[in-house]
Amino acid sequence: QERRATIHYSAAAVASTISQEEAPTVVVVVDRRPHEQRVDTPRQARRLNHPFQHLYRHTDPRFDDNEWTDRDTSSTTSSSQHYPKKISDFYWNKIMTESNSTFAQQPIDVDTSLSAINYLHLHGGYSLDEIHQLHKSFPPLLEIDVIRHLRPKMRFLKDCLDGCIVSSYPNPQSSVQTLDPKLKAALPGSFYGSSGSDNNESSLLEQFLLMHRKPKQFAAMCNDWRRKYGATNIDNNLPITSEQVVAFDKLFQRGILSAARDDSNYVYSDGPKRDDNSPSLLSTANVTSAQLVTYLIQHGANAYETDVRGASLFHWAAGCGNLDALKALVVCCNTRNGISSNSNSTLSTPGTSAALLWKASRDDAIPLHWAAAGAGPKEFGIGGSVDVCNYLLSICNDEQSIVTQRKLINAQTKDGNTVLMWSAWSGSLEIVKLLIRNRAETGVSNRNGCVVAHWAASGGNLDVCKYLAGVANVNFDVENYARNTPLSHAVAYGRTSVAKWLREVMLVDDVSNNAQNLALDFVNWGESGLGLISEEEQAERKKISELFTDWAEEMGQ
C-alpha cells in the first residue's frame, strides 16, 4: 500500500512539472487476488514440523517453566539484583573464586551464569553444592543459555525419561517440578552441554545419552541391550538397523499433522521415489501412523493443532481414512490432563467431543464431513471412508450427552452443506447408504438452494444418483435459486452418464433452457480453441450436447 501511494504521489509530481505531451505513462498494478491472500508482509514460513524441529523448545503449558525468560542483559541495573541473594552470593563468593574456573580466564556474561544457576536450582532441584560439583566436573555448564539448551534438556529428562517429580524444594511455600533424585544423581554434568564421554565403566543412562544422537551407534546399543536385558520371546528377532533409526527420526520430525493424515506413505527413505520398489519411511521404520501420533503426543505434541485453514488433526485423520490415528487421537486426548481451549470442549472426554463436534474455522465442517468426502495431502473429495464414518457414529452412540446421532448426521457447514451432500458429491455410495439408513435428511437445501441431487449430479457417480432416486425418493427435477437443475450441474461438470440418465430415464425437463445453453456454450468454447480442453473432453461435451434433441434439430445435425 505504501508502494502504491508512492507511485501515485510521484506521478502527480511529474505531471505538474512537465507538459502533458511529455508526461510518461504510469501503470498502476491492481491487486486482484482474493482478500485472504493479500498481505502487507511475507507470511511466516510454516512447516509441518515447526514445533518439533528442536524437541521441547516450543511452548508447552504442561511444564511450570513455560514462562521462564532470561533477564535483560542490556539493563544498566546490576544483574545480581534480579536474582535471590543466595544465588548472587553463591556466584560471586564460590564460583568466581575458583582458580580453575573458565570465568577467570575470559569475560562471561554474568546474567547468563546467574540465570543458569537459578534455573538448575529452581526447576532442576539441584542444591547449590550440587551445582558446584557439576560445575567442577564440567566448567562450561554455567555458560549455557537456559532457553536454548538447559530448559529443553531438562524437559527431555522430565518427560521422555519420566524423571519429573513435584517437590517443595527449594521453596517450602510452593511446589515445583524438579528432577527425580535418582536420575539427578546418575546424570553427568556434561549432559547439559555435550554428548558426554565414552568409557567402559559408564552407566546405562550415560551410554544412552552418549549414543542417542548417532544412528549407527544407537542401533548397536539397542541390539546389545536387547540381547542382555530384553525379552527372549520377541516375535521379530531381526536386529535394529541404523536405517530404521534414521527413518523413525525423519517421521518424528515431520510432526503430528503429517502422522494424522498419513502422508508419510508418500515419503521414501532414499529421497524422491525412483521406482515401485522404493520403501516408504513407514515401512523402513516399522511403525504405524497411529503409533507416531501416540509417541508425538506423549512427547509434547499439541493434539489440538490446526492447519492454516483451521482444520484439525481430527479432520485430517477422518478425511484421509486413517482410522487408527483417529482412535489414537481420541484416546490420548481423553486420557491426558487438561483440555485445550481450541477444542471447545468442557466435557470429561475432550477427545470424543473434538472428533464429533470440532468445526473447522473456515467452513464449520466437522470431521464426519471430511470422512464422508475423503481427503489426501493435496486433494479433496476423493471418496470417503465408511469405516471412519461407522466409528464416529459408534462413539456418538456411546456419548449421547455430547450430541445425538441424528443431529450429527445432519450437521451443516456455514453454507448449509450437509454430510450427505459431501458424500454424494465424492461418489461414496456405501457412505450414502449408511447415512440414509440412519435417517439423514434428503430435502435440506444450502444457501444457494442446492439439494443433495445437485451435489450427486455434480459428482458424476451414476450409482449414487440411482440410489438416491430409487431408494431415498430424491427429486432430481428441482431448481436452485439460480433456476439450475441437477441436469445443469451434470452438464457443467461434464458428467455424460448422469446427464444422459437424467435426460432419457428420469425425463428431467430443462424448462429454463439453462442446461441446453450451457451445453452449446461448452461446445462452441472448445471449437474456438479458447477453452484449451483435450480432444477427449471435447468429444464428451459433444455427446452431452446431442442429448438435447430440440437444439440438435434446429442446428440441422
Side-chain angles (χ1 to χ4, degrees), residues 192-205:
Y192 293 105
S194 68
S195 58
S197 59
D198 189 13
N199 60 75
N200 296 329
E201 298 180 357
S202 58
S203 64
L204 295 179
L205 175 62

Side-chain angles (χ1 to χ4, degrees), residues 214-510:
K214 303 173 183 178
K216 291 185 178 180
Q217 295 184 15
F218 183 74
M221 183 197 71
C222 291
N223 292 321
D224 182 56
W225 283 11
R226 187 162 67 169
R227 284 193 302 268
K228 293 181 179 178
Y229 314 108
T232 58
N233 57 347
I234 301 176
D235 295 333
N236 181 8
N237 207 23
L238 296 175
I240 298 172
T241 64
S242 59
E243 288 77 13
Q244 277 184 275
V245 176
V246 172
F248 181 84
D249 183 60
K250 289 181 179 179
L251 289 171
F252 198 82
Q253 289 201 28
R254 284 180 66 85
I256 194 169
L257 180 56
S258 173
R261 64 189 191 183
D262 200 17
D263 63 3
S264 298
N265 278 322
Y266 305 95
V267 182
Y268 297 89
S269 303
D270 51 357
K273 186 177 181 181
R274 296 185 176 90
D275 53 58
D276 294 336
N277 296 324
S278 298
S280 67
L281 283 178
L282 280 174
S283 61
T284 303
N286 193 23
V287 68
T288 65
S289 57
Q291 289 174 321
L292 278 174
V293 167
T294 303
Y295 295 153
L296 284 161
I297 293 177
Q298 289 174 349
H299 293 83
N302 180 15
Y304 301 100
E305 181 182 346
T306 58
D307 64 9
V308 293
R309 297 182 182 273
S312 70
L313 303 177
F314 297 87
H315 288 86
W316 276 108
C320 295
N322 197 353
L323 179 58
D324 292 337
L326 180 61
K327 289 180 177 180
L329 282 169
V330 172
V331 171
C332 289
C333 292
N334 284 344
T335 54
R336 284 172 64 86
N337 294 327
I339 300 175
S340 169
S341 58
N342 294 335
S343 65
N344 299 322
S345 173
T346 57
L347 302 170
S348 58
T349 54
T352 305
S353 177
L356 296 176
L357 298 179
W358 192 320
K359 295 182 178 180
S361 59
R362 185 185 185 190
D363 56 4
D364 278 358
I366 61 174
L368 185 59
H369 277 98
W370 282 55
K378 295 183 179 180
E379 51 194 350
F380 196 81
I382 59 177
S385 169
V386 67
D387 292 334
V388 174
C389 292
N390 275 319
Y391 169 71
L392 292 173
L393 295 180
S394 67
I395 63 175
C396 179
N397 283 333
D398 297 338
E399 296 287 348
Q400 292 288 341
S401 59
I402 298 178
V403 62
T404 62
Q405 189 182 88
R406 186 161 189 177
K407 186 176 180 180
L408 178 71
I409 288 177
N410 294 293
Q412 294 176 268
T413 65
K414 289 179 180 178
D415 294 333
N417 301 324
T418 63
V419 179
L420 182 61
M421 291 177 182
W422 282 27
S423 62
W425 164 68
S426 66
S428 305
L429 178 60
E430 294 303 318
I431 297 178
V432 170
K433 293 180 179 180
L434 175 66
L435 297 173
I436 294 296
R437 287 198 300 268
N438 286 277
R439 299 186 299 171
E441 297 180 5
T442 59
V444 179
S445 60
N446 63 13
R447 69 170 185 172
N448 297 320
C450 294
V451 295
V452 65
H454 291 85
W455 284 81
S458 300
N461 189 305
L462 184 57
D463 293 333
V464 170
C465 295
K466 289 181 177 180
Y467 179 84
L468 289 173
V471 178
N473 296 321
V474 173
N475 182 13
F476 276 81
D477 199 12
V478 62
E479 294 182 340
N480 62 11
Y481 298 149
R483 303 203 64 186
N484 289 316
T485 62
L487 178 60
S488 300
H489 281 228
V491 171
Y493 289 96
R495 312 304 187 186
T496 306
S497 59
V498 175
K500 184 177 181 180
W501 174 74
L502 290 172
R503 189 73 173 159
E504 298 178 352
V505 179
M506 300 301 294
L507 303 177
V508 174
D509 193 10
D510 187 25

Side-chain angles (χ1 to χ4, degrees), residues 31 39 44 65 72 96 170 189 209 272 331 363 499:
D31 191 350
V39 292
Q44 183 180 4
D65 60 358
D72 184 8
M96 290 301 292
L209 298 176
V331 171
D363 56 4

